[in-house]
Amino acid sequence: QALEQFEKSSQNDRTTNENKTQAKHLVQQADELAMKNDFAGSLNLLQQAIAMDATYAAAYSQLAKLYYSAGDIEKASEAIAQALTREPYHPEYLYVQGKILEKESNFDAALVAFQQTTLVNPKESDAYFEMGEIYQHRGDRAKALAAYSKALKISPDDPDYKRALASLNSGQPPAR
């Protein structure tokens, strides 16, 4: 009886591991399809990945990005919430959440998400850039300058960061 339980447990472990591996592979394929603008194919693969391993946070994050790109902010928000439930301190997921909140005009919450992103990954220049844009729109020049400068320090060749800093220094409104 103990041997039978061991075999059953081993089989369950193997199946779980195989499903996790398959889900990861499907998410990679979905990402490749999304890069080719095949959103329907990507969505299909992501749904398969979630069916195989509902605990795989990256599948939900990729799903959020797809919905965001398609303009379905409500579904994007639901998907990124699922990713963050599974991995609450993943900088990419926090950043995606910030972008979604920003799109919803929830700038206070977006700012918090971008700040959390930089706490988890201090080299996330895009989060600093997004914070700079929010601060600039609020008219907080000092904080915008600090955020843009930090983004540019991390990624000195990024033309968007250079433009944002130049815009701030010239007194022009930020391009959105």
Side-chain angles (χ1 to χ4, degrees), residues 54-138:
T55 68
Y56 191 41
Y60 295 99
S61 175
Q62 186 64 28
L63 195 57
K65 292 175 191 175
L66 274 184
Y67 286 136
Y68 181 90
S69 294
D72 193 337
I73 303 306
E74 185 177 330
K75 284 185 180 178
S77 184
E78 292 168 8
I80 203 61
Q82 289 292 326
L84 285 165
T85 297
R86 286 152 180 82
E87 291 186 45
Y89 303 110
H90 195 291
E92 179 184 337
Y93 308 164
L94 289 166
Y95 177 79
V96 170
Q97 181 186 46
K99 289 294 290 180
I100 292 167
L101 291 165
E102 194 174 31
K103 190 76 160 177
E104 294 173 328
S105 297
N106 189 346
F107 298 110
D108 290 337
L111 194 55
V112 169
F114 294 133
Q115 289 167 339
Q116 289 174 333
T117 302
T118 62
L119 287 174
V120 177
N121 180 7
K123 296 200 181 291
E124 183 54 65
S125 58
D126 285 340
Y128 287 108
F129 175 75
E130 295 297 335
M131 291 182 342
E133 284 197 320
I134 292 171
Y135 288 133
Q136 187 172 1
H137 278 283
R138 289 182 170 177

Side-chain angles (χ1 to χ4, degrees), residues 161-174:
Y161 302 169
K162 289 177 182 178
R163 267 192 302 277
L165 200 53
S167 164
L168 183 67
N169 287 329
S170 72
Q172 298 293 318

